[in-house]
Amino acid sequence: MSSILISGGTVVTAAGTQDADVLVDGEKIAAVLPREPGAAVAAAADRIIDATGKYVLPGGIDVHTHMEMPFGGTFSADTFETGTRAAAWGGTTTIIDFAVQAKGTSLLATLDKWHAKADGNCSIDYGFHMIVSDVNDTTLKEMDACIAAGVNSFKMFMAYPGVFYATDGEILLAMQQAARSGATVMMHAENGIAIDQLVAQALAAGRTDPVNHGLTRPPELEAEATSRAITLAKVANCPLYIVHMSASQALEAVAEARDGGQNVFAETCPQYLFLSLDDLARPEFEGSKFVCSPPLRPKEHQNSLWRGLRTNDLSVVSTDHCPFCFKDQKELGRGDFSKIPNGMPGVEHRMDLLHAGVAAGRLTLSRWVEVSSTTPARMFGLYPRKGVIAAGSDADIVIYDPQARQTLSAATHHMNVDYSAYEGLEITGQVVTTLSRGRAVIDDGQYQGTAGHGAFLARGPNQYLL
Ligand code: URP
Ligand code: ZN
Ligand code: ZN
C-alpha cells in the first residue's frame, strides 16, 4: 500500500471549496490539509500529484446504469468491463446498476446472475438495485433477503406493459413491503397502458419515424404516473425515488409532495438537460439515437429541470446509461419506432456535461459535486464511505481541469457504442486523473485501471428519510 499526496489543488465538496492538499494512505483518505498561500508541501508521500489549477473532487457516483442489460430483444452494448472503464474516464468511481428480474424468476437468483456478470470485470466500485417485474408472495419475501445482501432499492415500472409493467396493486404491495423493511422504491413513472394505445394509433396511421416515440409518450402521462406513484407511496408510507425525470409537469408533482413533507425524491439525466424532441426528429433515422424513455422533451422543459436541480426538488443527476449501437441495434426499429431499443449512452460524460452547466451559470461548483456524488451517496446508503473528501473516506478522487477544452465524439469516447449523443459538442473541463480507492484508474490522461479492482458495495438505507 502506498501513499499519495495531491497537492496544490482546490478541493470542491458539497460544503464548499477549499485550498487544501489531500493525503491518501492505501485505499483511504488520511487527511485533508488546508494550505496557507505560499506554504511548502505539508506532508511526505510515496507519490506527489501536482494538482495546481485543478479541482479535487469526490469521485462521481452514477446511481442509474444498465450494463449488458437484456432489453428489446438485444443487450445494451457496454459490458461491466467496458462501461466501468468509460465511467472512470469521465470521473465516475461508483456505479449502481440494475439487476433485472425476468418474470417467473426469483430475486435472489437474479442477484446471483448480476454478481456473476460484474464480479472480476469492473475497474471501479459498483452496487445493484433490483428491478422487480414479478410481484408475488415469494418475491415480496425475497426483498428482505436482497436488503440483507446490500440491495436496498427496488425499481418498478408503470411503463412497458407485458415486460416490466406492474399494476397499481402490485406496486402498492411492494411499497408496503419496502416500507416495512426500510427500503426505497424507485419508479419509472410513465402511464404505459395509455402510451401503448397512442403507439398503436400512430403505427396504424403510418407514423413510424423515431420522433413518434416522443409524440406518443406525452409529458402529461409522465406527470400522471408520477402523481399516482406519489399517492401510492403515501398510502404505503414508503420512500419513493422517481428515476429519469424529464417533464416539468412531473417535477411539479414531486415539488408539491416534498413541500408536504413526504419522502419523495427525484433524479434527472444529462440528456434531458441538454437534448430535446428536436433531436428525436432528426432525419434519416438519426433520431433513433435519441430514443429513450421517458422521451426527450421540447426544449422548454430544460429550464424547469435546471431550476429543480438548484432548488433540490431534483436531488440527483444520473445517466440512465443504456447504450445500443446505431448499427444493428437501433436499426431494429427502422419502419417501426416502437421496436427501437430504448436507451442512450452517457456514463462517460455526466460530470463534464454538468460542469458545462456550472460554466454556463446554471449550477454552483458545490451543487455540481452534490448532485453528482454526495447526494447519490446519501440517497443510496454509501455516505460517508463515498461522496466526500474527508479523512476516513474511500480515496475515490477526481482531479479535474476546469480550463481544458474537449469535443465530445464517438471517435474519442470510451463507451462501447458507435455514436455519441453529443457528437461535436465543445465543452470546457476534463478529467485528468481518477483514483478509485487510492488506485489510479485514469492517470494523467492514461487508462491504468484493471478489470477486477472494482468491488461490490453492500449498501445501507436511504439517509434522507424524514
Ligand atoms: O430508455 C431507457 N430509459 N432505457 C433503460 C431502461 C429504463 O427504463 O431505465
Ligand atoms: Zn426506467
Ligand atoms: Zn434506466
Side-chain angles (χ1 to χ4, degrees):
M1 281 292 154
S2 60
S3 58
I4 302 174
L5 182 72
I6 302 168
S7 77
T10 302
V11 173
V12 185
T13 67
T17 60
Q18 186 182 27
D19 290 333
D21 297 344
V22 179
L23 183 63
V24 172
D25 189 12
E27 297 199 345
K28 299 284 180 186
I29 295 171
V32 179
L33 307 161
R35 201 174 53 246
E36 295 303 325
V41 170
D46 300 323
R47 178 177 176 197
I48 296 181
I49 299 178
D50 181 7
T52 305
K54 314 282 194 305
Y55 296 145
V56 180
L57 318 168
I61 301 176
D62 189 344
V63 299
H64 190 152
T65 67
H66 302 280
M67 307 303 173
E68 44 196 292
M69 181 197 184
F71 196 43
T74 183
F75 284 82
S76 61
D78 263 315
T79 62
F80 280 89
E81 181 170 354
T82 62
T84 56
R85 194 192 305 149
W89 274 104
T92 287
T93 52
T94 299
I95 61 163
I96 310 184
D97 206 89
F98 289 83
V100 186
Q101 181 200 24
K103 287 214 190 289
T105 65
S106 92
L107 296 186
L108 288 175
T110 302
L111 189 55
D112 285 347
K113 202 166 161 183
W114 254 260
H115 272 299
K117 288 176 194 244
D119 188 25
N121 291 321
C122 297
S123 51
I124 56 168
D125 290 352
Y126 60 95
F128 294 124
H129 314 284
M130 177 61 67
I131 286 178
V132 182
S133 66
D134 198 348
V135 177
N136 55 50
D137 287 347
T138 311
T139 46
L140 288 171
K141 284 200 189 88
E142 280 187 311
M143 285 171 70
D144 273 353
C146 289
I147 295 167
V151 175
N152 214 305
S153 36
F154 299 87
K155 182 177 177 190
M156 304 194 76
F157 289 79
M158 301 168 110
Y160 307 131
V163 189
F164 300 129
Y165 174 82
T167 65
D168 288 358
E170 290 166 340
I171 290 169
L172 185 76
L173 289 176
M175 283 181 167
Q176 287 172 331
Q177 182 60 45
R180 279 192 288 271
S181 307
T184 296
V185 166
M186 308 168 79
M187 190 60 72
H188 181 130
E190 288 186 291
N191 183 330
I193 300 288
I195 285 168
D196 271 10
Q197 296 302 328
L198 296 177
V199 169
Q201 287 168 1
L203 292 174
R207 290 185 273 116
T208 60
D209 289 345
V211 70
N212 292 291
H213 174 76
L215 300 176
T216 55
R217 307 180 89 94
E220 289 78 4
L221 293 183
E222 183 183 348
E224 182 277 329
T226 301
S227 299
R228 189 156 35 97
I230 289 169
T231 302
L232 292 169
K234 189 168 193 175
V235 170
N237 194 24
C238 176
L240 175 67
Y241 179 94
I242 308 281
V243 292
H244 46 45
M245 182 161 283
S246 69
S248 56
Q249 297 94 325
L251 179 56
E252 280 167 26
V254 165
E256 192 182 319
R258 288 173 62 74
D259 288 349
Q262 203 178 329
N263 282 315
V264 171
F265 312 92
E267 66 174 22
T268 191
C269 311
Q271 53 270 33
Y272 302 120
L273 296 165
F274 286 89
L275 302 171
S276 76
L277 190 65
D278 294 348
D279 294 295
L280 259 179
R282 289 193 202 185
E284 308 293 337
F285 201 61
E286 283 284 299
S288 65
K289 296 176 176 174
F290 303 90
V291 166
C292 60
S293 293
L296 302 180
R297 300 296 183 192
K299 273 200 176 66
E300 310 77 88
H301 293 259
Q302 293 174 359
N303 274 340
S304 308
L305 298 178
W306 283 109
R307 189 172 57 246
L309 284 173
R310 288 191 295 273
T311 61
N312 202 35
D313 288 320
L314 287 167
S315 310
V316 169
V317 178
S318 70
T319 60
D320 193 10
H321 175 75
C322 191
F324 296 102
C325 288
F326 181 70
K327 190 167 168 17
D328 295 341
Q329 292 194 297
K330 292 290 186 181
E331 283 181 334
L332 292 168
R334 273 195 196 275
D336 179 350
F337 69 89
S338 71
K339 294 199 165 54
I340 300 169
N342 284 205
M344 285 178 57
V347 76
E348 188 168 347
H349 296 305
R350 183 181 62 123
M351 302 297 282
D352 288 330
L353 288 164
L354 288 177
H355 183 260
V358 173
R362 289 182 173 278
L363 288 184
T364 65
L365 266 182
S366 293
R367 188 69 182 148
W368 172 43
V369 169
E370 192 164 33
V371 299
S372 60
S373 177
T374 311
T375 301
R378 288 194 164 121
M379 191 73 70
F380 293 103
L382 291 170
Y383 188 88
R385 178 171 174 192
K386 307 286 189 191
V388 64
I389 303 247
S393 294
D394 280 358
D396 290 359
I397 300 174
V398 172
I399 302 175
Y400 196 83
D401 183 351
Q403 309 296 344
R405 297 282 299 161
Q406 60 166 320
T407 304
L408 306 188
S409 172
T412 48
H413 74 200
H414 303 88
M415 298 175 285
N416 186 36
V417 61
D418 62 2
Y419 74 94
S420 169
Y422 305 96
E423 187 66 43
L425 182 68
E426 289 182 22
I427 52 173
T428 305
Q430 191 163 25
V431 169
V432 179
T433 293
T434 302
L435 301 185
S436 163
R437 281 183 285 108
R439 165 90 187 270
V441 181
I442 305 300
D443 199 345
D444 204 8
Q446 301 293 320
Y447 179 74
Q448 302 289 357
T450 341
H453 164 79
F456 172 69
L457 298 166
R459 298 178 294 106
N462 186 329
Q463 295 164 351
Y464 283 109
L465 302 185
L466 295 168

